[in-house]
């Protein structure tokens, strides 16, 4: 049951001869990147209703995949399935190297994912700070990591001592985001992340997503704010009737209206998004130290290396930005790479490393042989 | 978990401002419903209300405990916090013990006040305070351990408020029986009632549900 994806990469599917699961067409991940999510004919039931009725989806590390579809299409259930919360009742699924059909592995998976759901995941009777402290302890995180997150999300002053019950909807969303950031997940699952937020908050979410990806994260988001979400997404997946109806494998504009511009995948190596700050005030904080991690996203939790049973490759040490990449993001001249790969011919990046219009084309620092980076930039011939 | 639940109670004061007054109200209603002039025929010739005071007291505690347990898991079911707990990867046995300990602390506080209330309403003396203290402690632990387990079972259901009493009350029948008998001995030093034996039953019940709870809470949390 092998074939090739759109890049000529072999697809290694369910290999068991006795496997009765129909292997539908796979989405195309990013070549050379670790597969983070791989679903084949995945079925998930809510009571007896098939919220997901045979989903095929592959997401590679460093991708920002936008799930688009009408209400009730199954987007939220898909996110919950990838978080290890919804059961896999049929088909096959593997996320971050964890088999979704195993209850034990789903428990392991949950620690590495972060879900921003419709529910706030906050205790109304506790203050913002108490909530963050509790969830930091529950997630075995250093309590000292809470303070920078409160600061970055503009929760450090007046709002930190306010009970969640007394917050506005947007402020609650902000507090939920703070908890999510504290978790430092490898896989960000965002269900309507822009909902209820003002323009500052939406800009912050966009910056956070780019920042997370720059620090080795992968993002799957569902949003009805399509114009905004499409700006940052590297791929759009249409979900309807509990199935993936359409996919836009290389950012070619898969929306029916053709509104989505061509968008090269975000290359995590050469681009370090500055840590976002809530609001529009000038941010004079230094660029993140790759050794210490981002003040927001930080170092993703280390996971044990494990081969994917569905063909993906798990990583033992997620990619980290190089010093040169940070210099580039800070506006300094990046250290020249001895053998830079060609930038995508169709790239929209302006080279500043800070704009929304896609990644810049700096030298592919660290992408050469022996680099810790697993990803490689697409050659022009591969793109499209 | 325990600290968080107690902090929420300190903020919201649901147990102290609602559940405790509810318990006191029930005690008072029992006192009004049963005439103090009724006397049990026998050697002791104690008033009926005094004779049945331990049973009424523990019935009141059970009803208060149901409310406290419902409240403890409503906190987790609201706003998706059960999902967040699952995603945190906390040890389910730790969550079980934490929740049970928090409810135990709250229930002991309620029982202390209810005990004074029962003394005022029913006027029962205390012959064996040591046995009474052991009974209160063991019965409370038994109620909270078994109650926490079954409340977790119903936590994710929309009908949990009505389902929890149906699940918990039959299970807690041995606790009601043991606590009532041990309390009678503690109050009246009744030679016909082996108080410490009934306290031993409460201890066995608590140990049983401690083990079952620590083993079963994980799957329950998973499915709720």
């Amino acid at each position: 049951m092998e074939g090739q994806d759109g890049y000529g990469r072999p697809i290694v599917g369910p290999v068991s001869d006795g496997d009765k699961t129909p292997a539908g067409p796979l989405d195309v991940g990013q070549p050379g990147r670790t597969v983070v999510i791989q679903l084949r004919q995945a079925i998930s039931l809510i009571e007896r209703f098939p919220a997901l009725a045979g989903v095929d989806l592959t997401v590679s590390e460093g991708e920002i995949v936008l799930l688009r579809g009408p209400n009730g299409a199954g987007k939220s259930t898909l996110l919950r399935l990838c978080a290890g919360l919804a059961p896999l009742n049929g088909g096959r699924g593997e996320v971050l190297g964890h088999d979704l059909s195993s209850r034990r592995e789903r428990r392991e998976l949950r620690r590495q994912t972060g879900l921003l759901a419709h529910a706030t995941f906050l205790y109304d009777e506790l203050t913002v700070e108490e909530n963050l402290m509790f969830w930091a302890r529950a997630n075995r995180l250093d309590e000292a990591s809470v303070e920078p997150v409160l600061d970055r999300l503009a929760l450090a002053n007046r709002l930190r001592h306010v009970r969640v019950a007394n917050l506005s909807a947007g402020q609650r969303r902000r507090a939920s985001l703070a908890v999510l950031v504290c978790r430092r997940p490898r896989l960000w699952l965002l269900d309507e992340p822009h909902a209820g937020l003002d323009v500052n908050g939406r800009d912050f979410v966009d910056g956070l997503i780019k920042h997370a990806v720059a620090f080795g994260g992968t993002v799957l988001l569902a949003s009805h704010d399509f114009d905004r979400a499409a700006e940052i997404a590297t791929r759009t997946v249409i979900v309807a009737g509990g199935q993936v109806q359409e996919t836009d494998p290389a950012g070619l504009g898969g929306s029916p209206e053709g509104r989505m511009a061509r968008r090269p995948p975000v290359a995590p190596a050469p681009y370090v998004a500055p840590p976002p700050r809530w609001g529009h005030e000038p941010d004079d904080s230094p660029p993140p130290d790759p050794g210490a991690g981002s003040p927001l996203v930080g170092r993703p939790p280390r996971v044990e290396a494990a081969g994917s049973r569905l063909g993906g490759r798990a990583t033992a040490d997620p990619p980290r930005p190089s010093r040169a990449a940070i210099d580039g993001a800070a506006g300094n001249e990046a250290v020249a790479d001895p053998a830079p790969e060609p930038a995508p011919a169709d790239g929209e990046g302006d080279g500043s490393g800070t704009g929304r219009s896609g990644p810049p084309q700096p030298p592919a620092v660290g992408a050469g042989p022996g680099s810790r980076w697993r990803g490689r930039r697409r050659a022009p011939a591969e793109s499209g | 978990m325990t600290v968080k639940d107690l902090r929420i109670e300190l903020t919201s004061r649901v147990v102290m401002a609602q559940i405790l007054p509810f318990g006191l109200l029930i005690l008072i209603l029992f006192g009004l419903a049963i005439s103090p002039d009724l006397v049990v025929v026998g050697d002791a010739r104690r008033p009926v209300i005094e004779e049945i005071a331990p049973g009424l007291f523990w019935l009141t505690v059970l009803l208060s405990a149901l409310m406290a347990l419902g409240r403890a898991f409503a906190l987790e079911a609201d706003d998706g916090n059960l999902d967040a707990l699952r995603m945190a990867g906390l040890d389910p046995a730790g969550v079980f013990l934490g929740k049970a300990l928090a409810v135990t602390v709250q229930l002991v506080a309620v029982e202390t006040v209810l005990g004074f209330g029962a003394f005022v309403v029913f006027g029962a003396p205390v012959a064996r305070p040591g046995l009474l203290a052991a009974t209160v402690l063991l019965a409370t632990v038994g109620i909270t351990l078994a109650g926490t387990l079954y409340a977790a079972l119903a936590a994710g259901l929309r009908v949990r408020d009505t389902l929890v009493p149906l699940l918990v009350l039959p299970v807690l029948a041995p606790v009601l029986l043991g606590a009532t008998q041990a309390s009678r001995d503690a109050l009246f030093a009744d030679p016909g009632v082996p108080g410490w034996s009934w306290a031993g039953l409460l201890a066995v019940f608590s140990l049983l549900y401690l083990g079952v709870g620590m083993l079963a809470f994980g799957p329950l949390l998973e499915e709720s």
Side-chain angles (χ1 to χ4, degrees):
Chain A
M1 198 176 293
E2 289 197 6
Q4 289 187 332
D5 64 15
Y7 297 93
R9 186 182 59 174
I11 298 172
V12 182
V15 292
S16 168
D17 290 336
D19 177 33
K20 297 292 191 292
T21 303
L26 275 178
D27 285 331
V28 181
Q30 300 303 329
R33 297 241 180 96
T34 301
V35 173
V36 173
I37 300 172
Q38 193 158 34
L39 304 175
R40 283 173 174 273
Q41 292 295 298
I43 297 172
S44 185
L45 304 177
I46 297 178
E47 294 178 0
R48 279 183 286 181
F49 175 74
L52 296 181
V55 167
D56 292 307
L57 179 66
T58 302
V59 176
S60 299
E61 186 178 49
E63 281 197 274
I64 302 172
V65 176
L66 168 62
L67 301 177
R68 192 177 173 216
N71 290 334
K75 303 185 296 294
S76 297
T77 307
L78 181 54
L79 292 172
R80 286 175 58 82
L81 178 71
C82 293
L85 289 172
L88 181 69
N89 300 105
R92 290 190 169 207
E94 194 172 294
V95 178
L96 292 171
H98 297 286
D99 184 359
L100 293 178
S101 61
S102 161
R103 189 173 288 180
R104 185 180 59 80
E105 292 208 34
R106 282 212 310 268
R107 280 201 296 269
E108 289 298 316
L109 166 66
R110 289 174 195 152
R111 296 182 187 179
Q112 298 169 33
T113 60
L115 174 65
L116 183 71
H118 294 295
T120 63
F121 295 165
L122 298 170
Y123 294 100
D124 279 355
E125 293 82 0
L126 298 181
T127 66
V128 171
E129 184 181 26
E130 287 169 342
N131 266 290
L132 259 70
M133 291 301 234
F134 172 74
W135 289 118
R137 280 192 292 267
N139 287 283
R140 301 176 184 82
L141 299 172
D142 184 2
E143 290 181 12
S145 66
V146 168
E147 196 58 40
V149 174
L150 284 170
D151 179 49
R152 281 281 166 180
L153 277 95
L155 293 166
N157 297 321
R158 188 172 60 90
L159 292 178
R160 75 188 299 159
H161 300 302
V162 176
R163 285 170 57 188
V164 168
N166 296 330
L167 295 179
S168 70
Q171 289 167 335
R172 284 182 191 213
R173 197 68 169 165
R174 202 192 314 179
S176 296
L177 270 170
V179 174
L180 181 70
V181 172
C182 279
R183 281 176 61 86
R184 304 175 178 220
R186 282 187 68 199
L187 175 59
W188 297 63
L189 303 161
L190 309 176
D191 199 353
E192 299 291 349
H194 301 111
L197 296 179
D198 58 17
V199 174
N200 291 352
R202 292 172 181 219
D203 288 344
F204 175 87
V205 168
D206 292 349
L208 182 65
I209 290 171
K210 287 189 275 190
H211 190 68
V213 169
F215 271 80
T218 304
V219 179
L220 192 61
L221 75 151
S223 179
H224 289 295
D225 192 349
F226 178 69
D227 290 336
R228 178 177 278 272
E231 282 287 305
I232 55 172
T234 58
R235 189 152 61 105
T236 301
V237 168
I238 309 297
V239 182
Q243 293 180 320
V244 170
Q245 299 287 1
E246 183 184 347
T247 183
D248 172 25
L252 293 174
S255 67
E257 300 84 354
R259 293 157 63 194
M260 186 176 175
R262 182 172 192 160
R263 193 158 302 284
V266 171
Y271 172 66
V272 175
R277 181 182 286 278
W278 197 279
H280 284 312
E281 69 270 28
D283 189 353
D284 56 354
S285 57
D289 178 0
S294 159
L296 280 189
V297 178
R299 189 172 187 278
R302 189 181 179 87
V303 295
E304 296 299 323
S308 165
R309 285 171 288 273
L310 295 184
R313 288 181 292 135
T315 177
D317 200 354
R320 305 285 299 281
S322 67
R323 181 71 253 168
I326 291 167
D327 288 340
N332 302 329
E333 187 177 351
V335 177
D337 186 271
E341 291 184 350
D346 54 328
E348 295 179 2
D350 57 8
S352 66
T354 56
R356 271 190 178 184
S357 53
Q361 298 94 42
V365 179
S371 164
R372 296 171 66 192
W373 294 100
R374 296 175 183 274
R376 61 184 175 93
R377 300 176 68 81
R378 273 189 298 151
E382 289 178 308
S383 61
Chain B
M1 182 61 65
T2 304
V3 172
K4 180 264 295 177
D5 278 7
L6 293 178
R7 182 167 287 163
I8 288 176
E9 168 53 25
L10 282 177
T11 305
S12 64
R13 300 187 184 279
V14 168
V15 173
M16 286 299 137
Q18 295 178 27
I19 296 178
L20 177 61
F22 169 77
L24 285 172
L25 199 59
I26 290 180
L27 280 181
I28 292 168
L29 291 176
F30 277 145
L32 292 175
I34 300 165
S35 168
D37 298 332
L38 288 174
V39 175
V40 176
V41 178
D43 294 339
R45 291 194 62 79
R46 283 195 293 269
V48 166
I49 195 167
E50 200 176 302
E51 185 73 15
I52 63 173
L56 296 180
F57 172 79
W58 284 109
L59 207 52
T60 306
V61 168
L62 272 188
L63 296 175
S64 303
L66 286 178
M67 295 182 74
L69 288 164
R71 162 73 178 163
F73 280 90
L75 291 174
E76 308 300 341
D78 293 345
D79 289 320
N81 290 325
L82 274 177
D83 281 344
L85 281 179
R86 281 192 279 256
M87 292 198 71
L90 288 170
D91 179 17
V95 176
F96 171 71
L97 291 177
K99 302 258 359 148
L101 183 58
V103 178
T104 300
V105 170
Q106 295 170 31
L107 211 50
V108 165
V110 169
E111 286 167 359
T112 304
V113 179
L114 287 181
F116 283 111
F119 179 77
V120 171
V121 174
F122 305 132
V126 179
R128 295 174 177 167
L131 176 60
L132 185 64
T135 301
V136 166
L137 192 63
L138 290 170
T140 306
V141 169
I143 289 169
T144 53
L145 287 174
T148 301
L149 187 63
Y150 285 93
L153 179 68
L157 303 175
R158 282 185 291 274
V159 293
R160 64 174 182 269
D161 292 339
T162 46
L163 186 60
V164 168
L166 275 179
L167 292 173
V168 172
L169 285 178
V171 171
L172 291 182
V175 177
L176 181 65
L177 180 64
T180 301
Q181 294 299 330
S183 298
R184 280 190 65 192
D185 190 23
L187 293 179
F188 310 123
D190 197 335
V193 179
W196 284 107
S197 298
W198 287 108
L201 172 73
L202 295 175
V204 170
F205 184 91
S206 298
L207 283 174
L208 177 71
Y209 270 93
L210 178 66
V212 172
M214 291 181 72
L215 289 175
F217 197 79
L220 286 180
L221 197 64
E222 192 77 16
E223 299 300 330
S224 60

